[in-house]
Amino acid sequence: MSALPLTLLPLLSCFASAEPVVESPEPQLKGDQVVQLITDHSLEGWKVPSTRWSIKDGAITGDTMGVKLQTPEWLYTNDSFTDFIFSAEVKLSGGPKANSGIYFRVTPFTFTRGKPGTKYEAPSGYEYDAGLGSRHNGSLGDWYARPKLRIFADQKVMKQIFKAEDWNRMTIRAKGKHIEYWLNGTKIIDYTDNDPKRSKAGPIGIQMHDNLVMKVALRKAVILPLVDDQK
């Protein structure tokens, strides 16, 4: 999908700061250095949290199987990445509030929710949020470790380019403290994270949300690790 006119480029809002989107074309992942993260018939290369995850015809699916999970699940790559360009197609279905996200530079830690306190392993790291009917759709956050960090994509633009219950191409460029997101070819997030506590390296994962009946599917996941002379 071609980029929207400059007048339609999204503006961002954040609890901490805001930055305008600097227009740039979606990176193209080509060449011998591009790594395919999904094989056709196996979840090899991924840390699989439960039998709710499967693969068929090159697409990984997480399925709550008609019940609401008590705690969320994440499927992570075995490998860790620092600076990179990542792209994949994601599809949400199974319920009107299906919610997921691409997580990256993850460091798992023990998270405590509510009182007296439900504890589970959660990611400290960035999220590219994906949700049906959610204002967080397309946003950048680090909800579990830094809940005040939330950069919102312009929802007027999101409504034009996001395809509900269909495949959406989500692209990330993470270079140092500079994070950029594209959705179906349109740039939606451009953020510089100056927090010294920011995540710097870790695996990439996809979430199956708790308290929802839902499915999330991932296909065509590729990554290009960046070196100092690459932008």
Side-chain angles (χ1 to χ4, degrees):
M1 186 175 189
S2 60
L4 294 176
L6 186 61
T7 55
L8 292 179
L9 286 178
L11 299 177
L12 307 178
S13 62
C14 176
F15 298 129
S17 62
E19 295 182 11
V21 169
V22 178
E23 171 65 345
S24 57
E26 178 185 19
Q28 300 300 307
L29 281 77
K30 298 179 181 179
D32 295 339
Q33 302 303 312
V34 174
V35 179
Q36 302 288 331
L37 296 177
I38 300 176
T39 59
D40 286 340
H41 307 293
S42 170
L43 287 171
E44 181 181 359
W46 298 83
K47 297 177 182 178
V48 184
S50 75
T51 57
R52 298 182 183 91
W53 298 87
S54 62
I55 184 167
K56 183 178 180 181
D57 298 328
I60 295 172
T61 299
D63 186 350
T64 66
M65 300 180 180
V67 299
K68 296 180 180 180
L69 302 182
Q70 294 300 307
T71 58
E73 290 186 0
W74 287 268
L75 181 85
Y76 294 121
T77 60
N78 289 329
D79 292 333
S80 178
F81 302 94
T82 303
D83 292 341
F84 58 84
I85 301 170
F86 166 89
S87 185
E89 293 184 358
V90 175
K91 180 167 70 172
L92 294 167
S93 61
K97 295 183 179 180
N99 187 284
S100 182
I102 299 294
Y103 286 72
F104 57 99
R105 292 181 175 172
V106 165
T107 300
F109 74 107
T110 300
F111 175 76
T112 303
R113 179 179 63 191
K115 296 180 180 180
T118 300
K119 295 184 178 181
Y120 56 89
E121 185 180 273
S124 170
Y126 298 100
E127 179 189 11
Y128 183 155
D129 200 293
L132 301 180
S134 171
R135 70 186 184 94
H136 294 100
N137 193 21
S139 66
L140 179 154
D142 186 357
W143 190 86
Y144 293 95
R146 293 185 292 159
K148 291 185 178 180
L149 174 63
R150 180 67 71 172
I151 309 295
F152 288 96
D154 187 318
Q155 291 304 297
K156 292 181 180 179
V157 174
M158 291 296 295
K159 288 179 180 178
Q160 295 181 50
I161 62 176
F162 181 75
K163 297 176 285 187
E165 299 200 42
D166 201 349
W167 294 104
N168 289 276
R169 188 174 67 257
M170 300 167 68
T171 300
I172 300 164
R173 178 159 57 199
K175 181 71 171 175
K177 57 186 179 181
H178 188 201
I179 309 295
E180 301 165 280
Y181 293 172
W182 287 259
L183 178 66
N184 296 326
T186 296
K187 192 171 184 182
I188 59 171
I189 293 287
D190 192 322
Y191 180 64
T192 300
D193 189 357
N194 291 310
D195 188 342
K197 296 181 180 180
R198 68 184 182 273
S199 298
K200 299 178 182 179
I204 290 174
I206 188 165
Q207 181 194 45
M208 187 156 49
H209 211 284
D210 55 329
N211 296 317
L212 298 173
V213 173
M214 60 161 289
K215 296 180 182 179
V216 59
L218 178 77
R219 71 180 185 185
K220 299 181 181 179
V222 293
I223 191 165
L224 174 65
L226 295 177
V227 296
D228 290 342
D229 61 347
Q230 291 176 300
K231 294 182 180 180

